Amino acid sequence: MPEPEAIRGLSASPGRASGPLFTVEEEPQPWSPDVEAATSEAVAAVAERVARQLEDLAGDRRDRAPDAAAILEAQALMARDPALQAAVDESLAAGRGAPAAIAEATESYATRLEQTEDAYLAARAADVREVGRLLLAGLTGRPPSRLAGLAEPSVVLARELTPADTLAAEPGSIVAFVTESGGTTSHVAIVARELGIPAVVGAAGALAAARRAAATGALVDGTAGTVSWLGPEELLKEDSGAGRELVALDLDAAPVPIMANAGSVAAVRAAADLRLQGVGLFRTEFLFLSRPDPPGEEEQAETYEVACALMAPYPVVVRTLDAGSDKRLPYLPVAGEPNPALGRRGVRLWLANEGLRDPQVRALARTAAGHENLWVMVPMVGASEEMREVRDLFEDAGRRRGRTPPLGMMVELPATAVALDRFGGLIDFVSIGTNDLVQYALGADRELEWPPYLSEFNPGALRLIAEAVRSAHRVDVKVGVCGELAGRPEGAVFLVGLGVDSLSLGAASAGPVVRALSRTGVEGCREAARAALEAGSAEEALALLS
Ligand code: PEP
Ligand code: MG
Protein backbone atom coordinates (compact mmCIF):
# COMPACT_ATOMS: atom_id res chain seq x y z
CA MET A 1 0.00 0.00 0.00
CA PRO A 2 1.44 3.47 -0.82
CA GLU A 3 2.35 5.70 2.12
CA PRO A 4 -0.62 7.93 2.93
CA GLU A 5 0.16 11.57 2.17
CA ALA A 6 0.94 13.87 5.09
CA ILE A 7 -0.76 17.26 5.08
CA ARG A 8 1.00 20.50 5.76
CA GLY A 9 -0.64 23.56 7.31
CA LEU A 10 0.26 26.38 9.67
CA SER A 11 1.55 25.76 13.15
CA ALA A 12 -1.16 27.31 15.36
CA SER A 13 -0.32 25.69 18.70
CA PRO A 14 2.79 23.57 19.31
CA GLY A 15 3.11 20.01 20.62
CA ARG A 16 2.43 16.54 19.21
CA ALA A 17 -0.60 14.38 19.88
CA SER A 18 -2.42 11.51 18.23
CA GLY A 19 -5.83 9.98 18.60
CA PRO A 20 -8.91 8.76 16.78
CA LEU A 21 -10.33 11.19 14.23
CA PHE A 22 -13.55 13.06 14.88
CA THR A 23 -14.56 14.65 11.60
CA VAL A 24 -16.94 17.59 11.76
CA GLU A 25 -19.52 17.18 9.01
CA GLU A 26 -20.75 20.11 6.95
CA GLU A 27 -24.50 20.75 6.94
CA PRO A 28 -26.23 18.26 4.61
CA GLN A 29 -27.46 19.77 1.32
CA PRO A 30 -30.00 20.02 -0.21
CA TRP A 31 -32.16 21.07 2.72
CA SER A 32 -35.24 19.03 3.59
CA PRO A 33 -38.64 20.37 2.36
CA ASP A 34 -39.53 21.21 6.01
CA VAL A 35 -36.50 23.41 6.39
CA GLU A 36 -37.08 25.05 2.98
CA ALA A 37 -40.67 25.87 3.94
CA ALA A 38 -39.95 27.27 7.44
CA THR A 39 -42.00 30.42 8.12
CA SER A 40 -40.94 33.75 9.57
CA GLU A 41 -42.35 32.68 12.98
CA ALA A 42 -40.38 29.41 12.85
CA VAL A 43 -37.14 31.27 12.06
CA ALA A 44 -37.81 33.73 14.91
CA ALA A 45 -38.43 30.85 17.34
CA VAL A 46 -35.19 29.16 16.25
CA ALA A 47 -33.28 32.44 16.67
CA GLU A 48 -34.54 32.73 20.25
CA ARG A 49 -33.63 29.09 20.98
CA VAL A 50 -30.15 29.48 19.48
CA ALA A 51 -29.58 32.70 21.48
CA ARG A 52 -30.52 30.91 24.71
CA GLN A 53 -28.28 27.91 23.90
CA LEU A 54 -25.37 30.26 23.25
CA GLU A 55 -25.96 32.11 26.52
CA ASP A 56 -26.14 28.84 28.47
CA LEU A 57 -22.95 27.61 26.86
CA ALA A 58 -21.21 30.92 27.61
CA GLY A 59 -22.34 30.76 31.25
CA ASP A 60 -21.04 27.22 31.73
CA ARG A 61 -17.70 27.96 30.12
CA ARG A 62 -16.95 31.48 31.36
CA ASP A 63 -14.43 30.04 33.79
CA ARG A 64 -12.54 27.92 31.27
CA ALA A 65 -12.35 30.38 28.42
CA PRO A 66 -13.82 33.80 29.25
CA ASP A 67 -12.80 35.44 25.98
CA ALA A 68 -14.52 32.79 23.87
CA ALA A 69 -17.55 32.85 26.19
CA ALA A 70 -17.85 36.59 25.56
CA ILE A 71 -17.89 35.92 21.81
CA LEU A 72 -20.82 33.53 22.31
CA GLU A 73 -22.71 36.19 24.24
CA ALA A 74 -22.14 38.69 21.43
CA GLN A 75 -23.43 36.08 18.94
CA ALA A 76 -26.54 35.58 21.09
CA LEU A 77 -27.25 39.32 20.80
CA MET A 78 -26.86 39.11 17.02
CA ALA A 79 -29.24 36.13 16.78
CA ARG A 80 -31.90 38.25 18.53
CA ASP A 81 -31.21 41.38 16.45
CA PRO A 82 -34.57 42.60 15.07
CA ALA A 83 -32.78 44.01 11.99
CA LEU A 84 -31.59 40.52 11.10
CA GLN A 85 -35.07 39.06 11.50
CA ALA A 86 -36.51 41.90 9.36
CA ALA A 87 -34.01 41.11 6.59
CA VAL A 88 -34.93 37.41 6.74
CA ASP A 89 -38.65 38.31 6.58
CA GLU A 90 -38.05 40.49 3.52
CA SER A 91 -36.37 37.62 1.66
CA LEU A 92 -39.08 35.17 2.72
CA ALA A 93 -41.74 37.60 1.46
CA ALA A 94 -39.89 37.75 -1.87
CA GLY A 95 -40.42 33.98 -2.18
CA ARG A 96 -37.06 32.63 -1.00
CA GLY A 97 -36.84 29.41 1.01
CA ALA A 98 -35.71 29.78 4.64
CA PRO A 99 -32.08 28.64 4.06
CA ALA A 100 -31.59 31.15 1.23
CA ALA A 101 -33.32 33.91 3.22
CA ILE A 102 -31.07 33.33 6.25
CA ALA A 103 -27.95 33.11 4.09
CA GLU A 104 -28.82 36.35 2.24
CA ALA A 105 -29.70 38.26 5.41
CA THR A 106 -26.58 37.25 7.33
CA GLU A 107 -24.31 37.74 4.33
CA SER A 108 -25.54 41.28 3.68
CA TYR A 109 -25.24 42.11 7.43
CA ALA A 110 -21.66 40.69 7.46
CA THR A 111 -20.69 42.56 4.29
CA ARG A 112 -21.97 45.86 5.76
CA LEU A 113 -19.82 45.28 8.85
CA GLU A 114 -16.78 44.50 6.72
CA GLN A 115 -17.22 47.75 4.84
CA THR A 116 -17.16 49.92 7.96
CA GLU A 117 -13.89 51.62 8.79
CA ASP A 118 -14.07 50.24 12.31
CA ALA A 119 -11.71 47.28 12.64
CA TYR A 120 -13.61 45.96 15.66
CA LEU A 121 -16.95 45.90 13.82
CA ALA A 122 -15.33 44.46 10.68
CA ALA A 123 -13.96 41.58 12.73
CA ARG A 124 -17.52 40.81 13.91
CA ALA A 125 -18.51 39.83 10.33
CA ALA A 126 -17.31 36.28 11.00
CA ASP A 127 -19.58 36.13 14.05
CA VAL A 128 -22.62 37.15 11.96
CA ARG A 129 -21.85 34.42 9.43
CA GLU A 130 -21.54 31.98 12.30
CA VAL A 131 -24.96 33.06 13.57
CA GLY A 132 -26.38 32.28 10.10
CA ARG A 133 -24.91 28.78 10.28
CA LEU A 134 -26.32 28.28 13.77
CA LEU A 135 -29.81 29.37 12.64
CA LEU A 136 -29.72 26.87 9.78
CA ALA A 137 -28.47 24.10 12.09
CA GLY A 138 -31.22 25.10 14.55
CA LEU A 139 -33.89 24.72 11.83
CA THR A 140 -32.78 21.11 11.39
CA GLY A 141 -32.93 20.56 15.17
CA ARG A 142 -29.19 20.17 15.69
CA PRO A 143 -27.34 21.65 18.73
CA PRO A 144 -25.06 24.70 18.24
CA SER A 145 -21.87 22.69 18.72
CA ARG A 146 -20.90 20.25 16.04
CA LEU A 147 -18.69 18.51 18.61
CA ALA A 148 -21.68 17.54 20.75
CA GLY A 149 -21.20 13.88 19.74
CA LEU A 150 -17.54 13.72 20.80
CA ALA A 151 -17.38 10.68 23.09
CA GLU A 152 -13.66 9.89 23.51
CA PRO A 153 -10.46 12.00 23.42
CA SER A 154 -10.01 12.71 19.72
CA VAL A 155 -8.26 14.71 17.03
CA VAL A 156 -10.92 17.09 15.73
CA LEU A 157 -10.81 17.64 11.95
CA ALA A 158 -13.01 20.29 10.32
CA ARG A 159 -13.20 22.79 7.50
CA GLU A 160 -13.40 25.48 10.18
CA LEU A 161 -14.30 25.58 13.88
CA THR A 162 -16.04 28.26 15.89
CA PRO A 163 -16.10 29.07 19.62
CA ALA A 164 -19.57 27.46 19.81
CA ASP A 165 -18.01 24.23 18.52
CA THR A 166 -14.89 24.16 20.63
CA LEU A 167 -16.36 25.35 23.91
CA ALA A 168 -19.09 22.72 24.11
CA ALA A 169 -16.51 19.93 24.25
CA GLU A 170 -15.64 18.57 27.67
CA PRO A 171 -12.12 19.37 28.97
CA GLY A 172 -9.73 16.63 27.88
CA SER A 173 -11.94 15.39 25.05
CA ILE A 174 -9.92 17.15 22.33
CA VAL A 175 -6.30 16.01 21.89
CA ALA A 176 -5.59 18.17 18.81
CA PHE A 177 -7.28 20.43 16.27
CA VAL A 178 -6.86 20.37 12.48
CA THR A 179 -8.76 22.87 10.33
CA GLU A 180 -8.65 23.52 6.61
CA SER A 181 -9.23 27.25 6.98
CA GLY A 182 -8.03 29.83 9.47
CA GLY A 183 -4.78 31.53 10.30
CA THR A 184 -2.63 31.59 13.39
CA THR A 185 -4.81 34.28 14.98
CA SER A 186 -8.16 32.55 14.30
CA HIS A 187 -10.46 31.69 17.22
CA VAL A 188 -9.47 28.04 17.18
CA ALA A 189 -5.77 28.92 17.29
CA ILE A 190 -6.27 31.22 20.30
CA VAL A 191 -8.34 28.65 22.22
CA ALA A 192 -5.83 25.87 21.39
CA ARG A 193 -2.84 27.89 22.58
CA GLU A 194 -4.66 28.93 25.74
CA LEU A 195 -5.50 25.35 26.61
CA GLY A 196 -2.16 23.91 25.45
CA ILE A 197 -3.75 21.73 22.76
CA PRO A 198 -1.65 21.16 19.58
CA ALA A 199 -3.29 22.63 16.48
CA VAL A 200 -2.64 22.88 12.76
CA VAL A 201 -4.77 25.38 10.82
CA GLY A 202 -4.90 26.31 7.13
CA ALA A 203 -4.40 22.62 6.25
CA ALA A 204 -6.00 22.87 2.79
CA GLY A 205 -7.40 19.57 1.50
CA ALA A 206 -7.17 17.78 4.87
CA LEU A 207 -10.76 16.46 4.82
CA ALA A 208 -10.40 14.90 1.37
CA ALA A 209 -6.94 13.53 2.20
CA ALA A 210 -8.26 11.83 5.35
CA ARG A 211 -11.03 10.26 3.26
CA ARG A 212 -8.56 9.07 0.59
CA ALA A 213 -6.32 7.53 3.26
CA ALA A 214 -9.37 5.88 4.91
CA ALA A 215 -7.89 7.25 8.15
CA THR A 216 -9.35 6.35 11.53
CA GLY A 217 -6.82 8.44 13.44
CA ALA A 218 -4.22 11.16 13.00
CA LEU A 219 -0.88 12.23 14.38
CA VAL A 220 -0.78 16.02 14.65
CA ASP A 221 2.49 17.88 14.96
CA GLY A 222 1.44 21.39 15.92
CA THR A 223 5.05 22.57 16.03
CA ALA A 224 5.91 21.50 12.47
CA GLY A 225 2.38 22.21 11.19
CA THR A 226 1.92 18.67 9.80
CA VAL A 227 -0.75 15.99 10.05
CA SER A 228 -0.26 12.31 9.17
CA TRP A 229 -3.06 9.82 8.94
CA LEU A 230 -3.23 6.63 10.96
CA GLY A 231 -5.08 3.33 10.43
CA PRO A 232 -6.51 1.33 13.36
CA GLU A 233 -3.27 -0.59 14.08
CA GLU A 234 -0.98 2.43 13.87
CA LEU A 235 -3.38 4.25 16.16
CA LEU A 236 -3.03 1.57 18.83
CA LYS A 237 0.76 1.88 18.66
CA GLU A 238 0.74 5.66 19.01
CA ASP A 239 0.96 7.24 22.43
CA SER A 240 -2.09 9.47 22.37
CA GLY A 241 -3.03 12.41 24.54
CA ALA A 242 -2.53 16.14 24.43
CA GLY A 243 0.15 17.54 26.63
CA ARG A 244 1.62 14.16 27.55
CA GLU A 245 5.08 15.22 26.44
CA LEU A 246 4.65 18.34 28.54
CA VAL A 247 3.66 16.40 31.65
CA ALA A 248 6.98 14.58 31.40
CA LEU A 249 8.83 17.92 31.47
CA ASP A 250 11.85 18.08 33.70
CA LEU A 251 11.69 21.71 34.75
CA ASP A 252 14.75 21.27 36.97
CA ALA A 253 16.71 20.95 33.74
CA ALA A 254 15.91 24.58 32.91
CA PRO A 255 18.36 27.13 34.36
CA VAL A 256 15.66 29.77 34.98
CA PRO A 257 12.02 29.52 36.09
CA ILE A 258 9.72 28.64 33.19
CA MET A 259 6.44 30.50 33.63
CA ALA A 260 3.26 30.62 31.57
CA ASN A 261 1.50 33.32 29.60
CA ALA A 262 -2.23 33.06 30.24
CA GLY A 263 -5.41 34.90 29.32
CA SER A 264 -7.93 32.94 31.36
CA VAL A 265 -8.33 30.84 34.47
CA ALA A 266 -8.37 27.75 32.23
CA ALA A 267 -4.93 28.59 30.89
CA VAL A 268 -3.65 29.12 34.46
CA ARG A 269 -5.06 25.73 35.43
CA ALA A 270 -3.35 24.11 32.41
CA ALA A 271 -0.04 25.74 33.43
CA ALA A 272 -0.43 24.58 37.04
CA ASP A 273 -1.16 21.04 35.82
CA LEU A 274 2.13 21.16 33.90
CA ARG A 275 3.83 22.39 37.09
CA LEU A 276 5.13 25.52 35.38
CA GLN A 277 6.69 27.91 37.87
CA GLY A 278 4.19 30.74 37.86
CA VAL A 279 2.29 32.94 35.41
CA GLY A 280 4.69 35.51 34.02
CA LEU A 281 1.98 37.36 32.11
CA PHE A 282 -1.75 37.25 32.79
CA ARG A 283 -3.34 39.25 29.95
CA THR A 284 -6.40 40.85 31.55
CA GLU A 285 -7.63 42.29 28.26
CA PHE A 286 -9.44 39.01 27.53
CA LEU A 287 -11.75 39.88 30.43
CA PHE A 288 -12.58 43.19 28.76
CA LEU A 289 -12.87 42.40 25.04
CA SER A 290 -15.91 41.22 23.05
CA ARG A 291 -18.54 42.33 25.56
CA PRO A 292 -20.85 45.31 25.79
CA ASP A 293 -19.46 46.71 29.07
CA PRO A 294 -16.34 46.27 31.21
CA PRO A 295 -16.11 43.75 34.08
CA GLY A 296 -16.55 45.26 37.56
CA GLU A 297 -14.36 44.94 40.64
CA GLU A 298 -16.16 41.82 41.88
CA GLU A 299 -15.86 39.84 38.65
CA GLN A 300 -12.21 40.79 38.20
CA ALA A 301 -11.24 40.00 41.80
CA GLU A 302 -12.82 36.57 41.50
CA THR A 303 -10.72 35.79 38.42
CA TYR A 304 -7.45 37.07 39.91
CA GLU A 305 -8.05 35.23 43.19
CA VAL A 306 -8.72 31.91 41.47
CA ALA A 307 -5.61 32.35 39.31
CA CYS A 308 -3.44 33.09 42.39
CA ALA A 309 -4.89 30.17 44.35
CA LEU A 310 -4.22 27.78 41.45
CA MET A 311 -0.59 28.87 41.07
CA ALA A 312 0.44 29.38 44.72
CA PRO A 313 3.16 29.60 45.90
CA TYR A 314 4.48 30.67 42.49
CA PRO A 315 3.85 34.27 41.35
CA VAL A 316 0.98 35.32 39.11
CA VAL A 317 1.94 38.50 37.27
CA VAL A 318 -1.31 40.23 36.37
CA ARG A 319 -0.99 42.89 33.70
CA THR A 320 -3.24 45.92 34.02
CA LEU A 321 -5.54 46.38 31.05
CA ASP A 322 -3.59 46.65 27.80
CA ALA A 323 -6.23 48.02 25.41
CA GLY A 324 -6.07 50.34 22.42
CA SER A 325 -4.40 49.87 19.04
CA ASP A 326 -5.60 46.48 17.74
CA LYS A 327 -7.36 45.67 21.04
CA ARG A 328 -10.42 47.90 20.70
CA LEU A 329 -13.04 48.04 23.41
CA PRO A 330 -16.58 48.55 22.04
CA TYR A 331 -17.52 50.67 25.07
CA LEU A 332 -14.44 52.91 24.79
CA PRO A 333 -14.17 54.41 21.32
CA VAL A 334 -10.83 56.09 20.70
CA ALA A 335 -11.43 58.69 18.03
CA GLY A 336 -9.13 60.75 15.90
CA GLU A 337 -6.04 58.57 15.95
CA PRO A 338 -4.47 58.36 12.50
CA ASN A 339 -2.06 55.70 13.76
CA PRO A 340 -3.58 53.75 16.68
CA ALA A 341 -0.40 51.70 17.32
CA LEU A 342 1.21 55.03 18.21
CA GLY A 343 -1.90 56.31 19.93
CA ARG A 344 -3.54 55.99 23.32
CA ARG A 345 -2.92 52.41 24.32
CA GLY A 346 -1.71 50.42 27.31
CA VAL A 347 -0.94 52.49 30.39
CA ARG A 348 -1.79 55.78 28.63
CA LEU A 349 -5.36 54.74 27.95
CA TRP A 350 -5.72 53.08 31.37
CA LEU A 351 -4.51 56.09 33.35
CA ALA A 352 -6.80 58.40 31.41
CA ASN A 353 -9.95 56.33 32.04
CA GLU A 354 -10.86 56.17 35.69
CA GLY A 355 -13.89 54.01 34.94
CA LEU A 356 -11.62 51.24 33.69
CA ARG A 357 -8.66 51.95 35.94
CA ASP A 358 -10.16 52.25 39.42
CA PRO A 359 -12.18 49.00 39.58
CA GLN A 360 -9.07 47.14 38.37
CA VAL A 361 -6.85 48.78 41.00
CA ARG A 362 -9.40 47.90 43.69
CA ALA A 363 -9.76 44.31 42.45
CA LEU A 364 -5.98 43.86 42.42
CA ALA A 365 -5.46 45.49 45.83
CA ARG A 366 -8.14 43.20 47.25
CA THR A 367 -6.49 40.13 45.69
CA ALA A 368 -3.06 41.23 46.97
CA ALA A 369 -4.40 41.43 50.53
CA GLY A 370 -5.27 37.72 50.49
CA HIS A 371 -2.67 36.34 48.07
CA GLU A 372 1.03 36.99 48.57
CA ASN A 373 1.86 35.58 45.14
CA LEU A 374 0.07 38.36 43.22
CA TRP A 375 2.38 40.69 41.30
CA VAL A 376 1.13 43.55 39.11
CA MET A 377 2.66 44.69 35.86
CA VAL A 378 1.92 47.70 33.62
CA PRO A 379 2.10 47.63 29.80
CA MET A 380 3.55 50.15 27.33
CA VAL A 381 5.35 52.34 29.84
CA GLY A 382 7.38 55.05 28.12
CA ALA A 383 8.24 57.40 30.97
CA SER A 384 8.92 57.32 34.70
CA GLU A 385 6.08 59.83 35.21
CA GLU A 386 3.60 57.15 34.15
CA MET A 387 5.08 54.63 36.55
CA ARG A 388 5.06 57.19 39.36
CA GLU A 389 1.32 57.71 38.87
CA VAL A 390 0.67 53.95 38.78
CA ARG A 391 2.72 53.37 41.94
CA ASP A 392 0.83 56.12 43.79
CA LEU A 393 -2.48 54.52 42.85
CA PHE A 394 -1.46 51.06 44.08
CA GLU A 395 0.23 52.32 47.24
CA ASP A 396 -2.83 54.34 48.07
CA ALA A 397 -5.13 51.33 47.54
CA GLY A 398 -2.62 49.10 49.39
CA ARG A 399 -2.69 51.39 52.44
CA ARG A 400 -6.46 51.06 52.58
CA ARG A 401 -6.58 47.33 51.86
CA GLY A 402 -3.50 46.16 53.72
CA ARG A 403 -0.90 45.37 51.07
CA THR A 404 0.73 46.78 47.92
CA PRO A 405 1.76 43.98 45.54
CA PRO A 406 5.20 43.94 43.88
CA LEU A 407 4.88 46.38 40.96
CA GLY A 408 6.65 46.00 37.66
CA MET A 409 6.41 47.13 34.08
CA MET A 410 6.73 45.77 30.60
CA VAL A 411 9.62 46.83 28.44
CA GLU A 412 7.95 47.36 25.07
CA LEU A 413 9.23 50.74 23.95
CA PRO A 414 12.83 51.19 22.78
CA ALA A 415 13.35 54.36 24.85
CA THR A 416 12.35 52.45 27.98
CA ALA A 417 14.58 49.49 27.08
CA VAL A 418 17.74 51.58 27.12
CA ALA A 419 16.94 53.65 30.21
CA LEU A 420 15.67 51.23 32.85
CA ASP A 421 18.04 52.78 35.38
CA ARG A 422 15.83 55.90 35.21
CA PHE A 423 12.97 53.98 36.83
CA GLY A 424 14.91 53.20 40.01
CA GLY A 425 12.69 53.04 43.09
CA LEU A 426 9.52 52.83 41.01
CA ILE A 427 9.71 49.22 39.84
CA ASP A 428 10.29 45.89 41.57
CA PHE A 429 10.76 43.91 38.34
CA VAL A 430 10.43 44.19 34.55
CA SER A 431 9.35 41.86 31.78
CA ILE A 432 10.45 42.40 28.20
CA GLY A 433 7.57 42.27 25.73
CA THR A 434 9.56 41.47 22.62
CA ASN A 435 6.46 41.47 20.40
CA ASP A 436 5.89 45.18 20.80
CA LEU A 437 9.51 46.10 21.49
CA VAL A 438 10.57 44.71 18.12
CA GLN A 439 7.62 46.19 16.21
CA TYR A 440 8.49 49.66 17.53
CA ALA A 441 12.24 49.22 17.12
CA LEU A 442 11.97 48.08 13.50
CA GLY A 443 8.82 49.99 12.52
CA ALA A 444 7.36 46.65 11.38
CA ASP A 445 3.70 45.99 12.30
CA ARG A 446 3.58 42.80 14.38
CA GLU A 447 0.33 41.69 12.70
CA LEU A 448 2.03 41.40 9.31
CA GLU A 449 4.34 38.70 7.99
CA TRP A 450 7.96 39.84 7.65
CA PRO A 451 11.18 38.14 6.59
CA PRO A 452 13.52 37.07 9.46
CA TYR A 453 15.68 40.18 8.97
CA LEU A 454 12.77 42.25 10.32
CA SER A 455 12.17 39.90 13.27
CA GLU A 456 13.52 39.61 16.82
CA PHE A 457 16.70 38.15 15.31
CA ASN A 458 17.56 41.35 13.45
CA PRO A 459 21.04 42.34 14.77
CA GLY A 460 19.81 45.69 16.14
CA ALA A 461 16.79 44.08 17.82
CA LEU A 462 19.03 41.51 19.54
CA ARG A 463 21.31 44.28 20.81
CA LEU A 464 18.35 46.30 22.05
CA ILE A 465 17.08 43.31 24.05
CA ALA A 466 20.59 42.76 25.46
CA GLU A 467 20.79 46.43 26.47
CA ALA A 468 17.42 46.16 28.26
CA VAL A 469 18.71 43.21 30.31
CA ARG A 470 21.92 45.09 31.14
CA SER A 471 20.18 48.33 32.05
CA ALA A 472 17.78 46.52 34.45
CA HIS A 473 20.54 44.50 36.09
CA ARG A 474 22.64 47.64 36.56
CA VAL A 475 20.00 48.80 39.07
CA ASP A 476 19.36 45.32 40.50
CA VAL A 477 15.94 44.87 38.94
CA LYS A 478 15.01 41.31 37.93
CA VAL A 479 14.23 40.82 34.23
CA GLY A 480 11.79 38.32 32.75
CA VAL A 481 10.77 37.95 29.12
CA CYS A 482 7.15 37.28 28.12
CA GLY A 483 7.14 38.07 24.37
CA GLU A 484 6.92 35.28 21.80
CA LEU A 485 10.74 35.16 21.59
CA ALA A 486 10.80 33.38 24.99
CA GLY A 487 8.70 30.54 23.54
CA ARG A 488 11.11 29.85 20.66
CA PRO A 489 13.97 27.47 21.49
CA GLU A 490 16.53 29.73 19.73
CA GLY A 491 15.10 32.77 21.51
CA ALA A 492 15.18 31.07 24.92
CA VAL A 493 18.83 30.07 24.40
CA PHE A 494 19.70 33.68 23.54
CA LEU A 495 17.80 35.13 26.51
CA VAL A 496 19.23 32.71 29.06
CA GLY A 497 22.63 33.48 27.59
CA LEU A 498 22.03 37.18 28.29
CA GLY A 499 21.26 36.33 31.91
CA VAL A 500 17.49 36.90 32.09
CA ASP A 501 15.90 35.75 35.34
CA SER A 502 12.78 33.98 33.98
CA LEU A 503 10.94 33.09 30.79
CA SER A 504 7.19 33.23 30.32
CA LEU A 505 5.61 31.46 27.37
CA GLY A 506 2.51 29.71 26.02
CA ALA A 507 2.26 26.43 27.98
CA ALA A 508 2.46 24.42 24.79
CA SER A 509 5.93 25.84 24.02
CA ALA A 510 7.43 24.70 27.34
CA GLY A 511 8.55 21.26 26.11
CA PRO A 512 10.71 22.40 23.16
CA VAL A 513 12.16 25.30 25.19
CA VAL A 514 13.14 23.22 28.22
CA ARG A 515 14.72 20.58 25.99
CA ALA A 516 16.75 23.19 24.08
CA LEU A 517 17.95 24.81 27.31
CA SER A 518 18.97 21.58 29.01
CA ARG A 519 20.74 20.39 25.83
CA THR A 520 22.68 23.66 25.53
CA GLY A 521 23.51 24.31 29.21
CA VAL A 522 24.03 27.78 30.68
CA GLU A 523 27.61 28.12 29.40
CA GLY A 524 26.49 27.05 25.91
CA CYS A 525 23.67 29.62 26.03
CA ARG A 526 26.17 32.35 27.01
CA GLU A 527 28.50 31.49 24.16
CA ALA A 528 25.63 31.32 21.67
CA ALA A 529 24.27 34.69 22.86
CA ARG A 530 27.71 36.32 22.61
CA ALA A 531 28.10 35.01 19.08
CA ALA A 532 24.55 36.02 18.07
CA LEU A 533 25.21 39.60 19.22
CA GLU A 534 28.16 39.73 16.82
CA ALA A 535 26.28 38.10 13.91
CA GLY A 536 26.06 40.11 10.73
CA SER A 537 22.48 39.10 9.95
CA ALA A 538 19.33 37.60 11.44
CA GLU A 539 19.91 34.46 9.44
CA GLU A 540 23.40 34.04 10.87
CA ALA A 541 22.17 34.76 14.43
CA LEU A 542 19.42 32.16 14.07
CA ALA A 543 21.88 29.58 12.78
CA LEU A 544 24.21 30.23 15.74
CA LEU A 545 21.39 29.87 18.23
CA SER A 546 19.82 26.76 16.68
C1 PEP B 1 4.66 41.80 23.99
O1 PEP B 1 4.42 42.90 23.48
O2 PEP B 1 5.70 41.14 23.75
C2 PEP B 1 3.69 41.17 24.91
C3 PEP B 1 3.98 40.05 25.55
O3 PEP B 1 2.47 41.77 25.04
P1 PEP B 1 1.25 41.52 24.00
O4 PEP B 1 1.70 40.44 23.04
O5 PEP B 1 0.08 41.12 24.81
O6 PEP B 1 1.13 42.86 23.36
MG1 MG C 1 2.71 44.06 24.13
Side-chain angles (χ1 to χ4, degrees), residues 87 102-115 128-129:
I102 290 172
E104 277 175 15
T106 48
E107 196 46 43
S108 95
Y109 190 160
T111 309
R112 273 203 312 279
L113 287 177
E114 275 168 349
Q115 284 164 352
V128 177
R129 293 197 175 96

Side-chain angles (χ1 to χ4, degrees), residues 58-106:
D60 289 350
R61 299 299 195 246
R62 179 167 284 288
D63 227 28
R64 267 175 68 201
D67 46 327
I71 294 168
L72 296 186
E73 276 164 1
Q75 289 177 349
L77 286 177
M78 289 170 179
R80 285 208 185 92
D81 188 339
L84 184 64
Q85 179 71 34
V88 172
D89 288 351
E90 205 176 303
S91 287
L92 287 174
R96 301 261 191 282
I102 290 172
E104 277 175 15
T106 48

